[in-house]
Amino acid sequence: MPISYKEALEFIRREISHEFSLLGIRVTWFVTCQSFLVAALVLSLTNSDIVRAGWLAHWLLPVLGFMLSVFVSPGILGARRTIDSWLRRQYELMSESDAQRELKEVLIERFRTPPDNDFVHKLSLWFSSFLPALLGLFWVLAWLLIRVLPVYVGP
């Protein structure tokens, strides 16, 4: 027995919601890890005994922060692609005239817009999509600046 348009829409909306939740969890986890690494970097750079903390600030933390950005990127971009796939399925479902008649009470104009043309959708995923690249760039620049302009805060 085929499922109704209502059941199909409910299923698709649950999957979209699930993927947005996964994306939010991944971004939150990533930002939390990065904030601890940045705090450790600042603390190690302002340590009065920079000789002992130099290896930490000059090598370990920037490499760790950059590698974290590289490793988290596929999960974040994968969630975005999955969200786009489900939104395309929703668009295809809502493009059918029978579905529009059956679901006219819950139909909103955005359901009739392809995800590739939905500016609000694209904008809502911009932050999570570019955050790993931005923080990866931060770690590269931090490493270069630490190497070029060694910081020492002494007594």
Side-chain angles (χ1 to χ4, degrees):
M1 177 173 143
I3 63 173
S4 68
Y5 289 113
K6 181 180 184 240
E7 292 169 329
L9 181 62
E10 286 173 352
F11 178 80
I12 291 170
R13 296 303 299 167
R14 275 194 308 273
E15 290 299 313
I16 292 169
S17 177
H18 173 72
E19 287 300 324
F20 268 111
S21 293
L22 282 177
L23 179 62
I25 290 166
R26 290 172 183 163
V27 170
T28 300
W29 172 85
F30 176 58
V31 170
T32 302
C33 289
Q34 290 286 354
S35 66
F36 280 109
L37 290 174
V38 170
L41 178 70
V42 171
L43 289 173
S44 66
L45 288 175
T46 58
N47 186 349
S48 62
D49 192 7
I50 197 69
V51 174
R52 284 193 351 218
W55 64 271
L56 182 68
H58 293 195
W59 293 103
L60 183 64
L61 292 173
V63 169
L64 213 57
F66 179 77
M67 294 306 294
L68 183 64
S69 297
V70 169
F71 291 144
V72 80
S73 292
I76 289 174
L77 295 176
R80 180 182 178 156
R81 279 192 296 276
T82 304
I83 290 167
D84 286 343
S85 294
W86 281 114
L87 285 172
R88 270 192 293 287
R89 287 191 126 173
Q90 175 182 280
Y91 170 72
E92 291 165 3
L93 176 74
M94 299 310 289
S95 296
E96 295 181 26
S97 57
D98 291 341
Q100 289 177 14
R101 275 192 299 280
E102 184 180 321
L103 300 168
K104 65 183 172 206
E105 306 86 38
V106 296
L107 186 65
I108 62 172
E109 195 57 40
R110 260 183 96 194
F111 286 174
R112 295 183 193 170
T113 305
D116 298 334
N117 297 342
D118 188 350
F119 179 72
V120 173
H121 168 66
K122 285 182 178 182
L123 198 58
S124 72
L125 294 175
W126 186 89
F127 175 75
S128 61
S129 298
F130 290 102
L131 186 63
L134 291 173
L135 286 172
L137 180 62
F138 164 80
W139 285 111
V140 169
L141 292 175
W143 182 80
L144 288 172
L145 287 174
I146 290 168
R147 304 301 307 151
V148 172
L149 305 170
V151 177
Y152 175 71
V153 178

